Amino acid sequence: MRAWSLNFRDLLIAEGRYPRPVKPDVVALSDGAGEIERLGPGVTRWSAGDRVIGTYFPRWLSGTGKPERTAYDLGGAVDGVLAEYVVFGEDALVAVPAQLDFAEAATLPSAGVTAWRAVVEEGRVKPGDDVLTMGSGGLSTFALQFAVLGGARVIATSGSDGKHERLRALGAADVINHVRTPGWGTAAAGLTPGGVDHVVDVGGAGTLAQSLLAARVGGRISIAGVLKHGGGVDPLLILAKQLTLRGLTNASRETFERMNRAVEQHGLHPVIDRRFGFDDISAAYAYLATGAHVGKVVIVADGRG
């Protein structure tokens, strides 16, 4: 293993607050990249020296996310990748896009694939669409990048004025400070002819009410995170606007490979906020918990990330 990236999920697991089953004394982290050092007998997909990334769900190769495919998530139900050496089945790996270093590649399995699914595979965002993203975390910055790549106009939110220019530099046409503008959903809708076409909601209960206000009639909301606490949501607006709400998590290896082809073809580089050394894992966790980052927080091995 040469590099790893952190997700909010990793904080929840470390604090004992993750809602899914977690293996006792689990090896942490689902996201990492490295190079193949040795092959087991009968392996045909890879060669020694290949640069690879582990898949979040090692048993979900293609198709829909059936329980038998999603019950084994790295760093949760089964051991993760925060180790110097990890053994993978040959089907549980994808190739690193050519232009990425190991640290960039390590950001892809969770935030990248989930954002790709929300924006491209499920969202079917097209040129000219208005897309609303939330905050500056890894999933949201990937969603912003993928939406811009697809020709959409992106409205982003951030509670930090210092992050606004960084989000604009990634392609956001407008940025709303959701702290100063509690009604940011209505504000986002006001920047469009009749509301945004697609919302990538990473807050869950704490943001869904505003997402409903932001969306246009017939719009789509992808619920891809649960970062904020909140109360119930009145379904009347969902009915009145004829909205489509889709909860989603990660995706199959097949989806991961499609995303990687697009990443490589367009020369896209993931957004990395800070890189920590392998001996500074606790500091990396602590920094992620502050919420000060834009993009991903990563760990690199021996300066080779």
Side-chain angles (χ1 to χ4, degrees):
M1 298 299 295
R2 297 300 181 194
W4 306 259
S5 76
L6 300 179
N7 297 287
F8 183 71
R9 165 187 185 262
D10 300 314
L11 294 177
L12 295 180
I13 291 173
E15 295 166 359
R17 297 191 293 120
Y18 193 54
R20 288 172 57 102
V22 175
K23 175 181 178 287
D25 298 320
V26 68
V27 175
L29 304 191
S30 58
D31 294 15
E35 55 191 321
I36 293 176
E37 180 158 313
R38 188 175 303 168
L39 302 176
V43 172
T44 59
R45 283 176 53 86
W46 307 104
S47 300
D50 285 347
R51 301 194 312 144
V52 293
I53 315 164
T55 58
Y56 182 91
F57 290 119
R59 299 188 183 183
W60 187 1
L61 305 184
S62 63
T64 58
K66 297 179 180 179
E68 62 269 22
R69 298 170 177 170
T70 61
Y72 301 91
D73 51 326
L74 293 181
V78 297
D79 282 333
V81 297
L82 187 58
E84 294 175 282
Y85 292 89
V86 178
V87 177
F88 284 97
E90 66 173 335
D91 291 332
L93 296 168
V94 299
V96 173
Q99 80 276 17
L100 302 188
D101 63 23
F102 285 118
E104 291 173 317
T107 69
L108 297 174
S110 294
V113 173
T114 304
W116 174 265
R117 185 180 175 195
V119 173
V120 179
E121 304 245 335
E122 302 282 352
R124 301 188 183 279
V125 169
K126 60 186 183 299
D129 279 357
D130 289 302
V131 176
L132 176 63
T133 64
M134 298 178 186
S136 60
L139 197 158
S140 294
T141 53
F142 270 119
L144 193 166
Q145 288 179 293
F146 290 144
V148 170
L149 202 65
R153 175 175 175 265
V154 178
I155 302 166
T157 70
S158 174
S160 168
D161 287 340
K163 296 179 179 180
H164 286 204
E165 285 307 310
R166 298 182 70 180
L167 293 172
R168 290 182 189 277
L170 292 174
D174 295 280
V175 185
I176 300 169
N177 188 311
H178 62 79
V179 175
R180 286 202 307 271
T181 309
W184 49 266
T186 300
L191 295 171
T192 73
V196 301
D197 299 286
H198 195 122
V199 182
V200 181
D201 188 308
V202 297
T207 53
L208 186 53
Q210 290 298 314
S211 293
L212 299 179
L213 294 172
R216 66 165 173 83
V217 173
R220 175 185 290 270
I221 300 172
S222 291
I223 304 170
V226 289
L227 299 181
K228 301 288 184 182
H229 296 292
V233 172
D234 187 345
L236 182 60
L237 199 55
I238 301 173
L239 296 173
K241 285 190 169 186
Q242 304 171 61
L243 300 174
T244 298
L245 275 65
R246 178 64 187 268
L248 50 84
T249 55
N250 211 270
S252 66
R253 188 195 73 192
E254 184 178 64
T255 295
F256 200 162
E257 290 172 331
R258 282 196 293 268
M259 180 195 73
N260 278 357
R261 288 196 291 271
V263 166
E264 186 167 314
Q265 179 181 348
H266 292 279
L268 185 145
H269 285 270
V271 180
I272 293 178
D273 187 284
R274 286 186 63 180
R275 303 182 186 215
F276 290 82
F278 193 74
D279 293 333
D280 294 324
I281 294 168
S282 295
Y285 268 79
Y287 180 66
L288 180 70
T290 68
H293 56 290
V294 174
K296 296 292 291 182
V297 177
V298 303
I299 299 165
V300 297
D302 302 325
R304 296 186 62 182

